[in-house]
Amino acid sequence: MADTCTIQDIVTGDEIISDTYNLIEKEDAVYEVDCKKVTRGGENFDIGANPSAEEADEGVDEGSKQVIDVVDGFRLQFLGDEASGTRAFGTKKDYMGQLKAYMKKVVAKLKEGGADEDKIKAFQTGAQNYYTKHIAPNFKDFDFYTGESMDPEGMVVLLNYREDGITPYMTIWKGGLTEMKV
């Protein structure tokens, strides 16, 4: 059996994704990961007993909820208010402030881990190119998530939908990741 890896935020240690997903590398800076909408909750387990009239009146929550598989599976936390749809970063400037601070921490971690300057420069250039080409022009379409710890210094993972308007995908900063064998 092949080893699988969970892929963690290099800054916080939060699990972000695993290598069981198809990670599509872009601009030598990010991975894009196609996701699926799945239904959680509302399961009805028949254990063969007849509920009494009293139990039937208690009302079991039959509700189910559609979630994004990666968000649910890795316990990523929405940044903002899901009920109102308000996002944590209302403007590109707000997001850029967080991204710049995060990238400084990533570069420090890469240097600490012995990464060579060319690799670091390639990541920085690729990140800037990806932001300019893909994030900035579509900023209003992204939702923002962070790892389970909700550490404000951690990676912000972006969620958008492919051109078909149906397929969700996440954008994950490649340089901010480290692998852990499971």
Side-chain angles (χ1 to χ4, degrees), residues 33-68:
V33 181
D34 284 340
C35 307
K36 294 178 185 150
K37 287 186 176 183
V38 295
T39 302
R40 294 284 186 248
E43 292 88 6
N44 185 7
F45 299 101
D46 183 4
I47 57 172
N50 289 328
S52 70
E54 293 169 27
E55 289 172 346
D57 288 343
E58 288 178 17
V60 177
D61 182 17
E62 295 286 323
S64 61
K65 179 178 172 183
Q66 260 202 339
V67 296
I68 307 292

Side-chain angles (χ1 to χ4, degrees), residues 122-166:
F123 170 65
Q124 290 173 312
T125 302
Q128 186 172 13
N129 289 341
Y130 188 86
Y131 176 84
T132 303
K133 291 179 190 175
H134 302 283
I135 297 172
N138 303 301
F139 183 78
K140 65 180 180 7
D141 299 329
F142 285 97
D143 283 331
F144 306 98
Y145 290 83
T146 193
E148 184 176 24
S149 71
M150 293 193 73
D151 186 329
E153 296 186 355
M155 180 184 299
V156 172
V157 178
L158 298 102
L159 174 75
N160 199 351
Y161 287 81
R162 296 282 182 207
E163 294 75 24
D164 65 10
I166 298 169

Side-chain angles (χ1 to χ4, degrees), residues 82-130:
E82 280 187 291
S84 69
T86 305
R87 302 174 317 154
F89 304 105
T91 67
K92 292 176 199 174
K93 184 178 178 182
D94 293 340
Y95 176 65
M96 278 304 295
Q98 189 282 337
L99 184 59
K100 284 180 181 179
Y102 178 72
M103 290 297 179
K104 280 184 183 177
K105 288 178 180 46
V106 168
V107 167
K109 289 279 189 181
L110 291 172
K111 286 179 180 178
E112 186 180 296
D116 64 59
E117 287 297 319
D118 291 339
K119 179 181 176 179
I120 293 170
K121 262 300 192 228
F123 170 65
Q124 290 173 312
T125 302
Q128 186 172 13
N129 289 341
Y130 188 86

